[in-house]
Amino acid sequence: MLSYLLRRLFYLIPVLLGISLVTFALIKLAPGDPAEVLLRASGTEPTREAVAALRRELGLDKPSHLQYWRWLRRVLRGDLGVSYRTGQPVREELMDRLPATCELAGAAVVFMLLLAVPVGVGAALYRRGWPDHLGRMLALLGAAMPSFWLGLLLIYLFSVHWELLPVMGRGGPEHLLLPSITLGLGMAAAYARILRFSLVVRPQPLYYPVLGQRCKQSTGRP
């Protein structure tokens, strides 16, 4: 078990490096100069001298590979840098938003369990019956529905059209309802299908001795 976990952690290293490279390349390919955008956002006229000075200050005048290597060395030391938008350390920005992220993730997991367990168990108990067909149809629909489209649909129905739930913000349970449904529906669809399959498929106890005897007769080895 320990070797398996270590192997998975080792495989995670090139995945993270690949994600960072792709993200860095996409930022470089995005239109506009970050220094000019920052100057405009701060209310400063983006003159040529001001843009050049800010690029030198941020290290944007260096070649792309040197910029990436500089960022990677700082990340390995635990330094995530400073936000271009707010000027605050990125670590502090992440820690400020971590409680809300954990709260939303927990609410999504709770919604996923409340939906996936009854659907998966009901589909397994009434195999080939209408609960099974209905559960598989709902699971397929939930897996095929894009989360961004579902989120916009829920906002339009419950926030804009019916005015029942808030569109954004953080507060009581009403603020968590729509985002938890949006995030948890796709996970519920996948776990409901896995739960149904694990409950329906049962090994036959007498099959394996017979299979072993057949293998012994055909190969001459136990």
Side-chain angles (χ1 to χ4, degrees):
M1 185 64 181
L2 181 59
S3 61
Y4 173 78
L5 292 177
L6 293 177
R7 188 166 58 252
R8 301 306 297 181
L9 290 175
F10 178 76
Y11 291 155
L12 184 62
I13 296 176
V15 173
L16 293 177
L17 286 176
I19 293 175
S20 65
L21 281 172
V22 171
T23 305
F24 184 81
L26 291 177
I27 293 176
K28 283 297 182 181
L29 293 175
D33 190 342
E36 183 177 346
V37 173
L38 290 174
L39 289 174
R40 292 185 183 277
S42 62
T44 305
E45 181 66 24
T47 61
R48 182 177 300 178
E49 293 78 10
V51 170
L54 185 57
R55 287 178 61 86
R56 285 193 302 270
E57 179 182 351
L58 299 176
L60 299 177
D61 56 337
K62 301 291 192 302
S64 298
H65 66 281
L66 293 180
Q67 295 181 36
Y68 178 78
W69 176 242
R70 176 189 177 191
W71 171 84
L72 185 60
R73 286 189 305 173
R74 296 175 64 179
V75 168
L76 294 177
R77 294 196 304 264
D79 182 10
L80 300 180
V82 178
S83 173
Y84 289 164
R85 185 175 61 87
T86 63
Q88 300 296 323
V90 175
R91 181 185 299 175
E92 294 182 4
E93 297 277 345
L94 293 177
M95 296 305 296
D96 289 341
R97 289 160 176 78
L98 184 61
T101 302
C102 295
E103 187 178 285
L104 179 56
V109 171
V110 170
F111 173 79
M112 180 268 293
L113 293 175
L114 292 177
L115 182 61
V117 172
V119 171
V121 173
L125 290 177
Y126 299 95
R127 186 183 180 187
R128 296 191 178 92
W130 69 266
D132 187 15
H133 296 301
L134 180 61
R136 285 193 289 179
M137 183 183 67
L138 292 177
L140 181 62
L141 182 63
M145 187 179 301
S147 58
F148 63 87
W149 183 83
L150 176 63
L152 292 175
L153 180 62
L154 293 177
I155 290 174
Y156 173 76
L157 290 177
F158 292 95
S159 299
V160 178
H161 186 68
W162 292 327
E163 299 182 354
L164 297 176
L165 295 172
V167 178
M168 62 181 65
R170 184 188 179 196
E174 66 276 5
H175 291 83
L176 287 173
L177 191 57
L178 293 184
S180 62
I181 294 175
T182 304
L183 295 176
L185 186 61
M187 295 189 297
Y191 280 98
R193 297 174 66 181
I194 295 173
L195 182 60
R196 175 196 175 275
F197 180 80
S198 62
L199 292 176
V200 167
V201 176
R202 292 294 184 186
Q204 300 296 329
L206 298 178
Y207 179 75
Y208 296 104
V210 174
L211 181 60
Q213 184 66 26
R214 290 179 179 174
C215 293
K216 181 179 180 180
Q217 292 175 359
S218 60
T219 61
R221 292 179 295 178

